[in-house]
Amino acid sequence: MRYFIHISPIFTKSSLEELGGITSFSLVDNVLSAAIVDAEDERLQDRVRDSIFTYCAFPLYLTADLGTGSYLEVVLGAVDGLGIGKSRRLKLECIDINEKEGYSAKDIEVATGERLEGLGYNINIKDPEVLAYVVLMNGKCYSGYSDYSKLDKKFVNPMRHYQSKKQVSRAELKIWQAFDEFGISAGGTAIDLGAAPGGWSTFLAKRGFKVVAIDNGDLDYKAISAQGLRPLAVGIEKEIDAAALFESTDIVHVKGGFDDAKRLLRMGNADMLTDDMNIFCSDTAIAVESYLDLLKKDAKVIVTVKCLSKKAPNYIERARTMLGRRLEIERIKVLPANRQEFTVLASPRA
Ligand SMILES: C[S@@+](CC[C@H](N)C(=O)[O-])C[C@H]1O[C@@H](n2cnc3c(N)ncnc32)[C@H](O)[C@@H]1O
């Protein structure tokens, strides 16, 4: 079986090495963020779920040469040739890796969707039964399809999905992806370390959390307010009663370093601690540990850990040791929006 897999563009080598530990495969082609592989493993989609570097795998059934005809004709043939029943509600996604022909992936989807409708297909992007996808990469056109209801990830190209809504900062994509990937449910109170300009805090507040956002820098109060949220900045001159402030505020921004903020912060135990400070792993572990007494026993901790080189496995090992001193590490994942870093899901050790 041939697969399209979405891998980390920064840690391509580690991604492919890890995949080799999951299944035996031969590499058909790859670019930084994606690879086409042949593997006998029919369950590869499920097996990459717990991997660190591979975000998703989608089966491909046809391969065509893009050079043999008109671009859009090849794409149309690649979908039509899949043998998907015309009565089935079909959504099409196109991933154009090289974008050489001057069409955007969206243009190709629209043009091909219209042609498919002309051929009698039942195109339905709101409530699909089947997701058909076309991957255009290095002169080849790969196509495949999956049963939409059984798909864990509904988009073959995750970045397109996650860019579709307004964000306060690009970093917001990371917490959104972490929530989806780790299946986190909403609600309660959260402490967000290294919060500025406020993407994560905004995301958390929109998911129903009351948030204490900690950062020496300013949040983008205007952008946060434009999303219907009520931010409030407080200094670090005196005690901060977050529980009281939450009555009229969604995001309490404590404007100071995480250590000063911890000294002054008073609140009931929180359901979540997030940390996107982007500092050394050893300092991250110290920061997270210093807040553990403000967390509930079953709280979730989401932390990004920076890698100073592309040797991610070394940093992952270090994070397991350092964060593992006081935390139970549940998952480690390089999310599509992570740059030279990975995301850790953990909970306080009993
Ligand atoms: C990558 S940014 C965070 C982006 C944020 N998660 C968002 O979604 O907009 C890292 C932030 O960590 C903050 N930071 C670094 N060291 C810190 C410290 N010791 N205490 C508080 N904040 C710190 C920086 O000021 C910076 O704003």
Side-chain angles (χ1 to χ4, degrees):
M1 176 83 74
R2 185 159 284 188
Y3 290 93
F4 168 83
I5 60 172
H6 188 281
I7 56 178
S8 156
I10 309 283
F11 308 120
T12 311
K13 189 164 166 265
S14 300
S15 307
L16 293 173
E17 274 169 13
E18 185 197 36
L19 191 65
I22 294 172
T23 193
S24 60
F25 71 93
S26 59
L27 188 62
V28 176
D29 199 1
N30 82 297
V31 289
L32 283 179
S33 61
I36 307 288
V37 302
D38 283 339
E40 288 311 315
D41 196 336
E42 301 229 325
R43 296 199 51 233
L44 188 58
Q45 261 175 306
D46 297 334
R47 311 241 261 128
V48 298
R49 203 164 287 152
D50 295 330
S51 75
I52 294 175
F53 296 102
T54 302
Y55 192 66
C56 52
F58 284 85
L60 300 168
Y61 301 111
L62 297 175
T63 302
D65 206 329
L66 271 173
T68 55
S70 115
Y71 204 69
L72 292 176
E73 286 301 327
V74 178
V75 174
L76 180 68
V79 181
D80 191 33
L82 290 169
I84 300 166
K86 289 190 176 172
S87 62
R88 305 191 72 194
R89 298 187 305 278
L90 179 67
K91 179 177 171 177
L92 175 67
E93 182 179 342
C94 175
I95 302 101
D96 189 357
I97 302 280
N98 309 107
E99 288 194 351
K100 273 196 180 145
E101 303 295 320
Y103 303 106
S104 72
K106 186 98 202 143
D107 291 339
I108 299 171
E109 278 163 22
V110 172
T112 309
E114 278 169 5
R115 295 281 302 276
L116 287 167
E117 267 181 331
L119 293 175
Y121 282 90
N122 180 8
I123 302 294
N124 186 328
I125 51 175
K126 289 219 169 94
D127 179 27
E129 271 174 275
V130 180
L131 178 69
Y133 32 85
V134 176
V135 181
L136 306 171
M137 182 162 144
N138 296 341
K140 293 271 190 262
C141 172
Y142 304 92
S143 58
Y145 65 97
S146 294
D147 185 336
Y148 198 74
S149 65
K150 293 200 185 124
L151 279 178
D152 179 36
K153 304 220 163 54
K154 308 284 188 195
F155 282 79
V156 186
N157 177 358
M159 287 317 282
R160 246 182 89 193
H161 169 50
Y162 287 106
Q163 275 157 357
S164 61
K165 296 199 185 102
K166 223 182 192 162
Q167 290 117 32
V168 169
S169 67
R170 189 191 173 278
E172 198 172 327
L173 302 179
K174 296 191 283 185
I175 192 73
W176 185 3
Q177 288 168 359
F179 263 58
D180 282 359
E181 181 68 28
F182 303 145
I184 311 273
S185 53
T189 53
I191 302 168
D192 184 19
L193 305 181
W200 286 34
S201 297
T202 302
F203 176 88
L204 291 166
K206 278 164 62 189
R207 291 284 172 118
F209 287 90
K210 290 286 186 180
V211 185
V212 174
I214 297 170
D215 206 303
N216 325 60
D218 283 326
L219 303 197
D220 188 340
Y221 308 108
K222 203 170 154 205
I224 295 170
S225 307
Q227 306 229 13
L229 297 168
R230 299 164 302 170
L232 174 78
V234 295
I236 47 164
E237 299 81 34
K238 53 181 192 310
E239 266 194 9
I240 299 152
D241 182 352
L245 294 170
F246 281 154
E247 282 173 24
S248 55
T249 314
D250 301 306
I251 299 174
V252 175
H253 172 207
V254 181
K255 207 168 166 193
F258 71 82
D259 32 12
D260 287 328
K262 172 64 181 45
R263 239 177 348 94
L264 297 166
L265 188 59
R266 303 287 169 263
M267 65 187 291
N269 287 356
D271 299 270
M272 170 148 307
L273 175 69
T274 56
D275 173 358
D276 189 27
M277 281 195 289
N278 242 326
I279 52 179
F280 289 118
C281 180
S282 47
D283 296 330
T284 298
I286 291 168
V288 170
E289 284 172 2
S290 72
Y291 275 82
L292 289 182
D293 63 337
L294 281 183
L295 297 188
K296 287 185 181 160
K297 283 198 181 78
D298 60 350
K300 292 290 176 204
V301 176
I302 298 178
V303 183
T304 49
V305 178
K306 198 186 181 91
C307 300
L308 296 174
S309 76
K310 291 192 177 176
K311 292 190 179 130
N314 295 353
Y315 293 92
I316 288 170
E317 203 184 305
R318 204 168 300 166
R320 281 196 198 281
T321 308
M322 290 185 174
L323 290 169
R325 287 192 301 237
R326 304 271 313 274
L327 295 172
E328 204 66 60
I329 311 279
E330 294 174 20
R331 292 275 306 276
I332 293 181
K333 194 93 186 172
V334 178
L335 300 166
N338 281 136
R339 292 260 166 93
Q340 198 153 310
E341 61 185 7
F342 52 88
T343 301
V344 179
L345 172 70
S347 51
R349 214 183 262 287

